[in-house]
Amino acid sequence: MSNSEKVWLVTGGSRGIGQAIVERALADGNRVAVLSRNPKKDKTEATNKENNDRQLNLAADVCDEAQLQVAVEQIISEWGRLDVVVNNAGLHRGGKTSSLDLEDWEAVVQTNLSGALKVIRSAEPHLEQGASIVNIGAVVGFRGFPGDAAYASSKAGLAGLTRALSIEYAKRGIRVNLVIPGLVFTDMTSGLSEKAMDSMRDMIPLGRLGEAAEIAAVVHSVAAATYMTGAFIPVDGGLMSTFGMPG
Ligand code: NAP
């Protein structure tokens, strides 16, 4: 492995924003472990064309610490180290709080918040000075939207976890940051009605949805930003500016 080559773990890397993060990391010459519950059999097109051994598709549920430990051990046994962890796996279930099924609440919080903690704890023994953790937040974690209590709470919690860990890990030289995507068309948002999409688009100062690759580009800058930790970085077409930046 060359000195510039890093080993990335991207949770939820099989599709959507995670897949774009994986593609970008591979294009930059890194090795990438792509973790999801139902991993693809194929590698990305870019990896297939040249060097198949730079991508490892791993099956694990971020809610299951034992599965995560097996996955991390596999990365270490294949590549001997871990440099960048992206907590991107996510689940959205909406519903008015009064009628929200508690199972939905638990699933969202378990995946988006406790899942990130479990991934970090599984990876932590292998992270060294210079390692970087990038958590993927959401604008709803900072701004109230009715009917989104579970998702908003999980993402607000992830923001708190980011700040707490950034301080805990600072002395070891491990950075922890939160990238906050705006609205991107993926499987997660494909169920939104056209009317809901239009009204959300109207709220975005740049007047359009984001592309997954635009989020991935920022994740890569943040992962490489050696003097940034505990930061919240919106990539949202200006949506956060309409109600003030998080503190
Ligand atoms: P997506 O298309 O639904 O993809 C979700 C990914 O997470 C899939 O790879 C899925 O694979 C994986 N995943 C879900 N639950 C998992 C679990 N328990 N264990 C392991 N992997 C799991 O979602 P997306 O829109 O790309 O969202 C990616 C991240 O960005 C999420 O954290 C989301 O909250 C955040 N985000 C998205 C938007 C947006 O507009 N799309 C906006 C703000 C923030 P499997 O199903 O195979 O496990």
Side-chain angles (χ1 to χ4, degrees):
M1 199 179 297
S2 74
N3 281 344
S4 59
E5 202 176 8
K6 305 263 187 228
V7 174
W8 285 57
L9 165 61
V10 181
T11 71
S14 60
R15 50 193 154 89
I17 294 171
Q19 186 177 331
I21 296 169
V22 168
E23 282 167 3
R24 178 63 196 260
L26 287 168
D28 287 354
N30 299 295
R31 292 179 185 243
V32 187
V34 184
L35 186 145
S36 61
R37 290 165 302 179
N38 308 294
K40 287 185 181 155
K41 291 212 170 54
D42 293 344
K43 313 227 166 150
T44 62
E45 219 172 286
T47 326
N48 270 332
K49 273 192 200 140
E50 25 105 5
N51 197 348
N52 254 335
D53 66 4
R54 290 199 296 118
Q55 183 180 346
L56 198 57
N57 289 351
L58 299 172
D61 187 331
V62 296
C63 303
D64 186 324
E65 221 161 358
Q67 286 182 14
L68 289 170
Q69 273 165 15
V70 171
V72 168
E73 287 308 327
Q74 199 177 335
I75 298 169
I76 300 303
S77 88
E78 293 272 343
W79 295 330
R81 55 189 247 212
L82 186 50
D83 305 296
V84 178
V85 176
V86 183
N87 276 305
N88 165 82
L91 177 70
H92 180 270
R93 284 187 194 159
K96 290 224 171 83
T97 308
S98 53
S99 55
L100 183 67
D101 191 330
L102 205 54
E103 273 182 28
D104 284 345
W105 169 279
E106 296 286 0
V108 170
V109 173
Q110 283 294 327
T111 306
N112 298 353
L113 179 55
S114 311
L117 175 72
K118 289 172 187 172
V119 170
I120 291 167
R121 289 212 306 199
S122 304
E124 192 202 294
H126 307 285
L127 298 179
E128 291 179 3
Q129 173 90 26
S132 173
I133 297 169
V134 182
N135 296 326
I136 304 297
V139 173
V140 222
F142 298 94
R143 172 188 179 141
F145 281 100
D148 234 355
Y151 186 71
S153 303
S154 70
K155 292 296 187 178
L158 191 57
L161 179 67
T162 301
R163 288 235 155 122
L165 289 184
S166 70
I167 296 167
E168 276 185 39
Y169 289 173
K171 282 205 173 66
R172 289 172 53 193
I174 300 168
R175 294 170 295 104
V176 192
N177 293 292
L178 185 78
V179 168
I180 309 164
L183 188 61
V184 178
F185 189 79
T186 64
D187 288 354
M188 185 178 279
T189 49
S190 62
L192 286 170
S193 68
E194 214 166 295
K195 195 174 155 211
M197 274 287 184
D198 285 346
S199 75
M200 290 178 86
R201 194 181 289 107
D202 286 346
M203 291 161 61
I204 301 168
L206 284 183
R208 65 171 176 88
L209 271 59
E211 298 288 337
E214 293 176 304
I215 312 299
V218 175
V219 168
H220 282 260
S221 305
V222 169
T226 49
Y227 198 54
M228 180 190 280
T229 197
F232 297 167
I233 306 102
V235 195
D236 63 351
L239 188 54
M240 290 275 218
S241 304
T242 64
F243 61 92
M245 281 284 293

